[in-house]
Amino acid sequence: MNMLKQKVNPVGSSLLALVTDSEAAYIFGLWCADGYYRSSSIGITNVDKRLIDRFARFLRRHLPEDRMRMRIYHPIGIAPKVDVPTYPMRRARQVAYQYYVNSRPLLRLFQNAEQEVAQLPKKWIMAYFAGRFDGDGSVADDRRRDLRITYSNRKEAETDLVLLEQLCLHKATVYQYKAARTFVLYISRTSATAFVTQIRPWSVKLQNVAP
């Protein structure tokens, strides 16, 4: 069933209407990390074209492709030759892609689901974290040290910490970087290998990396 045609029901229905499988959970996590939105449009912005393409495939499950739009932002003097609007950015260091669609119902669904993330069913938590990691996460080359996901506010970071604690598998903590005005969810070294292994099936960043 097209999620945009579902009737809006009591609290919790937006999350469950949006996140109906592990791929939707991944996309939801990716949007929470790198989401773009305005009054009537929703999308993502990222320098990794693979993430843009994956988000695009998800949107096409629910909306016609001819409604989709893409913009490209690039460093001055390095304009890519493409058939979509491009914009030079003085501070840009590399090409960034913004893929979006104008849809108020879809925007409301994502925004309402974001407020209900604490109710995410356990079976989709790691797929959700794979999206979060691909959007705003990083780990050292050994896949154990400095495993982190960055957030713009404390509430989101602490909500995700609670989600992890529900699984009783991973040790993590939230740390604030006051100078950068960011919050970081750190996965401990003792849990890092298991965390990476569990998000790998969905993560674009990790799928082509040797264990």
Side-chain angles (χ1 to χ4, degrees):
M1 180 184 295
N2 189 319
M3 63 185 176
L4 299 184
K5 295 181 179 179
Q6 295 189 40
K7 183 179 179 180
V8 177
N9 287 317
V11 174
S13 63
S14 292
L15 179 67
L16 297 180
L18 175 63
V19 181
T20 56
D21 55 28
S22 58
E23 180 63 12
Y26 170 88
I27 293 297
F28 177 50
L30 180 63
W31 181 80
C32 287
D34 273 343
Y36 158 85
Y37 67 89
R38 287 195 174 178
S39 59
S40 61
S41 61
I42 179 171
I44 64 168
T45 303
N46 202 284
V47 299
D48 192 331
K49 185 63 162 49
R50 297 173 301 174
L51 300 180
I52 298 297
D53 291 342
R54 188 160 172 181
F55 189 82
R57 288 195 297 272
F58 176 79
L59 289 186
R60 293 187 198 115
R61 285 166 49 173
H62 306 285
L63 293 167
E65 185 173 0
D66 60 8
R67 292 183 58 180
M68 311 300 168
R69 299 289 183 270
M70 187 163 76
R71 300 176 181 138
I72 295 179
Y73 299 93
H74 60 86
I76 293 176
I78 311 179
K81 296 180 180 180
V82 292
D83 294 327
V84 299
T86 63
Y87 303 89
M89 299 290 289
R90 182 175 301 174
R91 297 183 179 180
R93 296 183 179 181
Q94 56 186 316
V95 173
Y97 307 89
Q98 185 176 87
Y99 192 91
Y100 66 100
V101 62
N102 292 319
S103 173
R104 289 181 185 273
L106 184 61
L107 174 59
R108 286 196 300 269
L109 188 65
F110 268 84
Q111 289 179 320
N112 290 339
E114 188 178 22
Q115 299 303 312
E116 303 161 8
V117 66
Q119 302 171 40
L120 187 67
K122 289 184 179 181
K123 62 182 177 180
W124 292 322
I125 287 178
M126 297 315 294
Y128 162 80
F129 271 106
R132 275 282 194 180
F133 176 83
D134 280 0
D136 273 333
S138 61
V139 65
D141 290 340
D142 62 7
R143 307 301 161 195
R144 293 184 67 246
R145 291 178 295 111
D146 202 25
L147 175 52
R148 63 170 71 186
I149 300 174
T150 303
Y151 300 78
S152 60
N153 64 76
R154 182 186 294 276
K155 180 181 178 181
E156 289 186 25
E158 292 183 342
T159 297
D160 277 7
L161 177 61
V162 171
L163 283 179
L164 275 184
E165 290 175 343
Q166 288 181 25
L167 300 179
C168 301
L169 297 172
H170 307 292
K171 294 182 179 180
T173 187
V174 173
Y175 184 83
Q176 180 181 7
Y177 286 88
K178 293 183 179 179
R181 297 181 181 179
T182 59
F183 297 84
V184 174
L185 177 66
Y186 281 104
I187 312 298
S188 74
R189 289 192 183 190
T190 58
S191 298
T193 299
F195 183 89
V196 167
T197 299
Q198 290 177 342
I199 69 171
R200 186 191 301 275
W202 301 284
S203 170
V204 169
K205 288 183 178 180
L206 296 174
Q207 281 180 352
N208 296 322
V209 176

